Amino acid sequence: MPKFAANLTMLWNEIDFLDRFAKAAEAGFKGVEYLFPYAYPKEELAERLEKHGLTQALHNLPAGEWAKGERGIAVLPDRVGEFQDSVGTALEYAKVLKTQTLNVLAGIAPKDVPAEKIYETLVSNLKFAAAEAKKAGIPLVVEAINTRDIPGFYLNTTKQTLSLLDDVGPQDVFFQYDIYHMQIMEGDLVPTLRANMARIKHIQLADNPGRGEPGTGEINYPFIFKAIDDAGYTGWIGAEYKPATTTDAGIGWFAPYKG
């Protein structure tokens, strides 16, 4: 049976962030994920995880100035030093939180930089991050994001992302497969998951259209979950969706999968 992590950035937004850990545990989740832990002391987050018996499934590396529209800095040639520092910050948190997987957001490609330079920068940054993460024993992943939600984001498809990872080192960086993003960009979800499961270290979900709860859109999630199970995937599936009303009102999809 798949194991699910509640995305605390997206779920239970009606209450304070630190109170969402308890809600996730009450709902039956065994793990949590969220975009960034860095606004909170790592010891306080670790205490919440331990108190509620939760695993920190994933969080992202720092992604630049999020409020100003930045969605990662790994593709920015003039921010390499900042990126390297961000790797250290992420690993400091990950070690204390016992984070299972770290995600690198590639970022929005700068328009005034040659394509070759952008790619070279991204490959170099990922090699650096992978080497540091490997020392800590923490898998590193990157994800592809649809062009509708984040126009200009550098990685958009499975093929593009896996080609990048081939150049970085296929044993060093893995794919975070977001079902919602990939349904928008390419569809063919189950065959893609089956063909590439060995390279996938984390999965995320939401339904389409609208990024809502499973069961509110066009994706046949019971079929998807069974296919993931049958393919032998043992990692986490992050519930990264926008509740239609309150989180509790839309959590019924999860009932059959509580451990």
Side-chain angles (χ1 to χ4, degrees):
M1 179 180 293
K3 56 184 183 181
F4 293 90
N7 188 295
L8 301 186
T9 302
M10 306 287 282
L11 305 184
W12 292 289
N13 268 233
E14 56 269 25
I15 61 175
D16 181 76
F17 177 77
L18 291 175
D19 294 331
R20 297 173 198 172
F21 291 81
K23 292 293 288 184
E26 289 169 10
F29 288 96
K30 303 301 183 185
V32 294
E33 62 173 36
Y34 36 82
L35 288 179
F36 309 109
Y38 312 110
Y40 301 90
K42 46 188 175 292
E43 294 78 13
E44 185 171 11
L45 296 175
E47 181 182 341
R48 301 277 173 155
L49 292 166
E50 183 175 1
K51 179 180 179 181
H52 300 293
L54 295 166
T55 297
Q56 181 71 46
L58 173 137
H59 64 76
N60 297 326
L61 267 66
E65 298 187 63
W66 192 267
K68 294 184 178 179
E70 291 188 337
R71 294 296 182 264
I73 59 174
V75 293
L76 304 179
D78 61 341
R79 306 274 286 278
V80 171
E82 182 182 346
F83 177 82
Q84 293 184 353
D85 289 343
S86 79
V87 173
T89 299
L91 286 170
E92 287 176 8
Y93 270 80
K95 290 172 184 176
V96 173
L97 301 181
K98 300 178 182 177
T99 304
Q100 301 289 293
T101 307
L102 281 174
N103 181 44
V104 179
L105 291 167
I108 297 171
K111 296 180 180 179
D112 57 348
V113 178
E116 296 81 2
K117 182 63 174 177
I118 294 172
Y119 190 74
E120 176 186 298
T121 299
L122 180 56
V123 170
S124 177
N125 277 336
L126 288 175
K127 286 183 175 181
F128 174 86
E132 295 302 305
K134 183 173 272 190
K135 292 176 189 175
I138 301 172
L140 194 74
V141 296
V142 296
E143 67 176 314
I145 294 177
N146 78 74
T147 55
R148 188 162 66 206
D149 286 7
I150 305 182
F153 194 82
Y154 189 76
L155 296 173
N156 308 125
T157 68
T158 297
K159 182 178 179 180
Q160 178 195 16
T161 305
L162 293 180
S163 177
L164 166 69
L165 300 188
D166 286 340
D167 287 341
V168 174
Q171 303 305 315
D172 296 325
V173 186
F174 299 89
F175 189 22
Q176 175 178 297
Y177 189 88
D178 189 301
I179 295 168
Y180 162 73
H181 289 307
M182 294 302 92
Q183 171 68 0
I184 292 171
M185 294 304 300
E186 59 194 29
D188 213 26
L189 299 171
V190 167
T192 302
L193 284 162
R194 287 172 175 162
N196 299 291
M197 195 59 81
R199 305 189 69 178
I200 294 171
K201 284 289 185 184
H202 193 79
I203 295 172
Q204 291 179 323
L205 65 80
D207 220 327
N208 185 61
R211 200 170 188 167
E213 300 100 338
T216 60
E218 65 186 357
I219 302 174
N220 184 347
Y221 267 106
F223 182 76
I224 297 277
F225 294 153
K226 184 178 185 305
I228 290 171
D229 240 8
D230 290 347
Y233 179 73
T234 59
W236 292 93
I237 302 176
E240 191 188 40
Y241 62 84
K242 298 177 183 178
T245 55
T246 66
T247 302
D248 288 338
I251 206 73
W253 68 269
F254 180 54
Y257 306 104
K258 292 182 182 180

